[in-house]
Amino acid sequence: MPKQTFYNLPEDKQKSLLEASRIEFSRAPLHEASISNIIKMCGISRGSFYQYFDDKEDAFYYLLKEHSKQRQEMFIEFLKESEGDIFAATTRLFGVTLEEFEKEEKRTFFKHVFLNMNHKIQTTFTNGETEDKFLKYLNDIKEYIDQDQLNTNNEEELYHAIHLVRMLMFNNIIRHFAKGLSKEKAMENFTIELNLLKRGLSV
């Protein structure tokens, strides 16, 4: 996480530093990215960078955490608009995500993220998903979910149902990048799998 000195910066300087970081992480995966390029783009010294972040990993994971927070807020809005239909809300979120990947600057950044996936990246994308944090996330969103549409008997099953839907979307994004799928094909695959999950696989 950024140091307090980062939050003390004027908003425009925060945005400049984060944008320079995003551009550099779009140019190269985290392990190849250069702090020198980041500080050159935003016009600060190396010493100043370390006043704001511990290292480049700190900046990278902050960008991911902020993205994850935005996704969660968007998902809640989609749940409200779909009257609690978790499948409709997730489909809409996946579609919006694919649309964003059409923008080259976002596509290259997230391509590096998803094709260099590790446990820390995955947990950052899922809001630091320890069980306690996921339960907090569930408490934040369950009031917006129409549980009558789900074949769940208790909160533990609801927990696992939401986890399954999220992981299905997550895995389809990885496949989108790994196989170079078009937006249309990625959405088709996602819809097939989500419908299978929605219907159930047993006869």
Side-chain angles (χ1 to χ4, degrees), residues 138-156:
L138 177 60
N139 285 330
D140 289 342
I141 69 169
K142 68 180 182 182
E143 66 179 290
Y144 305 110
I145 297 173
D146 181 0
Q147 295 184 47
D148 290 338
Q149 297 182 22
L150 299 173
N151 187 22
T152 53
N153 297 315
N154 50 51
E155 189 162 293
E156 183 178 5

Side-chain angles (χ1 to χ4, degrees), residues 9 12 17 20 25-26 34 42 50 72 74 84 95 105 107 125 133 135 146 157 159 163 183-184 188 195 199:
L9 285 171
D12 62 327
L17 178 53
F25 296 132
S26 297
S34 165
C42 62
Y50 287 115
Q72 290 172 7
M74 189 179 294
E105 69 275 12
R107 182 172 186 82
F125 250 110
K133 286 187 177 180
L135 285 172
D146 181 0
E157 290 189 357
Y159 168 105
H163 180 73
K183 178 181 64 176
E184 292 75 19
E188 178 186 341
N195 284 337
R199 294 199 310 265

Side-chain angles (χ1 to χ4, degrees), residues 28-138:
L30 173 60
H31 65 280
E32 296 178 9
S34 165
I35 290 176
S36 295
N37 289 339
I38 294 173
I39 63 177
K40 183 177 180 180
M41 274 186 279
C42 62
I44 64 172
S45 68
R46 182 175 289 269
S48 293
F49 179 88
Y50 287 115
Q51 287 181 349
Y52 308 134
F53 294 99
D54 287 334
D55 46 35
K56 65 181 181 181
E57 286 81 4
D58 198 18
F60 176 78
Y61 285 109
Y62 178 68
L63 285 171
L64 290 190
K65 186 170 184 179
E66 288 300 293
H67 176 78
S68 174
K69 186 192 301 183
Q70 293 167 7
R71 297 290 96 181
Q72 290 172 7
E73 291 171 355
M74 189 179 294
F75 184 57
I76 288 174
E77 287 305 308
F78 291 164
L79 277 172
K80 291 177 182 177
E81 291 171 11
S82 63
E83 298 183 340
D85 186 333
I86 189 174
F87 300 104
T90 304
T91 299
R92 189 171 172 193
L93 182 62
F94 186 70
V96 167
T97 301
L98 291 178
E99 288 289 344
E100 290 185 351
F101 291 160
E102 293 290 291
K103 302 171 185 175
E104 184 61 28
E105 69 275 12
K106 289 198 174 184
R107 182 172 186 82
T108 52
F109 175 75
F110 285 107
K111 184 174 183 179
H112 287 314
V113 169
F114 281 98
L115 295 188
N116 292 276
M117 187 63 62
N118 58 33
H119 179 68
K120 187 173 181 180
I121 290 175
Q122 182 171 343
T123 54
T124 302
F125 250 110
T126 49
N127 198 28
E129 194 173 292
T130 62
E131 185 170 351
D132 286 345
K133 286 187 177 180
F134 189 72
L135 285 172
K136 181 183 181 305
Y137 171 69
L138 177 60

